[in-house]
Amino acid sequence: MEQLANGFTLNIPDGAFPLSTDSMLLSDFVRLPRQARVLDLGAGCGTLGILLCAWDAGCQVTGIELSDAAHAAALENINQNGLGSRMVSICGDIRCARQELTGGSFDVCLSNPPYFAGGPASSRHSTARRQDQCSTKELCSAAAYALRYGGDFYLVHKPEYLAHICACAAAAGLEPKELCLVRHRPDTDHNLILLKCRKGGKPGLKLTELCLFHNDGTPTDYYKKLYRL
């Protein structure tokens, strides 16, 4: 059981993807409008939705998750946090979003998607970090369908996929608007990216950077803020 902000909790069952720095970073990167309608693509056990609801009392979150077990865990997390009126979990396939959702009905879409296209599957998380179940093109297509015009799509990914992500986003009508490069220490390469794309947005990209630890291994002020240390 993870203890989150403002008394919220997150139960992560065995075999489910754990609360990760990726999710913490993405939830902090997201900017929600008032009374935001949020869609989480590949929602797992509801991690990002719970994190957002913990800090924004007005948002409403819908999550789509392919795994029956993760969907069941999301329902449990929604119930234990008293979020039945603010969060919904749908057990379904992102690639079939048009059958599950009304187009243009969300202000914000977000995803902590599969990172890797191939290679051996993890014994614990066989699809959690692989693109077997949803490609970047399919992910961007689903986000573009669900978002209203002017809505924002946020995702976390690996730097080596940036060009491919931007190409898929642009093809779906999502314009990259903000890119944050994340590294563990100042002397290491960037290991994560946070990207915001806008449906129907005009060209123009803002670049920022974050670092989680100093070279001596002590946490930066940002890391302390992120984890409320």
Side-chain angles (χ1 to χ4, degrees), residues 67-88:
S67 164
D68 290 331
H71 165 66
L75 294 177
E76 180 182 338
N77 281 319
I78 290 169
N79 181 63
Q80 75 183 11
N81 286 287
L83 291 171
S85 63
R86 295 181 55 202
M87 277 190 72
V88 175

